[in-house]
Amino acid sequence: MRGTRLAGDFGEYYTALCLLNSGGWREPDILDSNGIDLAAYPTDEDKPALGISVKTRNVANTENSSILLRKKDITYCFQEARARKLEPCFSFVIIGNGSLDILVLTLDSLIEECQVIDAFDVRTGEFARSSLSIPISKNARERWGKYDNIFHLLLKQ
């Protein structure tokens, strides 16, 4: 099994576990469908259920500075989540030397955070750009702390 596949599978299961352990979420479904990997259902019926596309990077040996979301990644996540009546989301899982960082963001928050609102059609999920680069450097991950839904695990070495 290739290392990238192992990291990807780990990211999906670890995201599901973090949501479950954080409280407020029932056991997520692992879907592995075209566009979303997880479906997460809140215990609070007033909150939306999430359709999550998980993107994992192992930067333990090489420092990647970003995760590149292609146009189809964004469109497929939107369309598959909406077809299942879920809120489209992305989970970014970064495996580092001695730490794991996970950020789960709704697609709306991601589009707003990256300041590309004008490039996204909220009716169809079409994204006018060819890609969107999500910074994942150590400095960028430190700024993730402003979000409520970040999970950070420091592993003892």
Side-chain angles (χ1 to χ4, degrees):
M1 196 177 247
R2 292 183 41 211
T4 53
R5 172 71 190 266
L6 285 171
D9 288 349
F10 173 81
E12 291 175 18
Y13 284 96
Y14 194 69
T15 298
L17 182 63
C18 284
L19 288 169
L20 182 62
N21 287 344
S22 70
W25 298 95
R26 292 180 288 192
E27 188 170 323
D29 294 331
I30 306 283
L31 301 176
D32 255 348
S33 68
N34 195 15
I36 58 175
D37 301 301
L38 303 170
Y41 303 95
T43 55
D44 179 352
E45 297 300 324
D46 293 331
K47 293 184 178 180
L50 307 178
I52 305 170
S53 176
V54 180
K55 303 297 179 191
T56 306
R57 294 296 178 274
N58 183 354
V59 297
N61 299 322
T62 60
E63 181 64 34
N64 294 323
S65 60
S66 66
I67 292 178
L68 190 67
L69 293 179
R70 296 166 300 181
K71 178 179 183 169
K72 71 177 188 174
D73 294 328
I74 295 167
T75 302
Y76 289 174
C77 176
F78 178 88
Q79 292 173 345
E80 185 66 25
R82 290 295 164 101
R84 296 172 184 262
K85 297 185 178 17
L86 303 170
E87 179 74 27
C89 293
F90 281 91
S91 172
F92 302 106
V93 181
I94 312 304
I95 304 167
N97 285 322
S99 69
L100 291 170
D101 292 305
I102 300 177
L103 175 64
V104 180
L105 278 180
T106 64
L107 181 55
D108 290 342
S109 296
L110 180 64
I111 295 295
E112 185 178 317
E113 177 70 21
C114 293
Q115 300 176 353
V116 290
I117 294 171
D118 58 324
F120 184 69
D121 185 333
V122 296
R123 294 180 320 271
T124 64
E126 286 296 319
F127 191 62
R129 298 183 180 193
S130 61
S131 63
L132 182 60
S133 181
I134 310 303
I136 61 167
S137 68
K138 187 173 182 177
N139 288 339
R141 293 194 313 268
E142 287 172 2
R143 290 192 300 272
W144 287 2
K146 69 181 181 179
Y147 298 103
D148 292 335
N149 53 354
I150 179 159
F151 304 99
H152 176 81
L153 176 63
L154 183 60
L155 303 173
K156 294 186 179 188
Q157 298 193 350

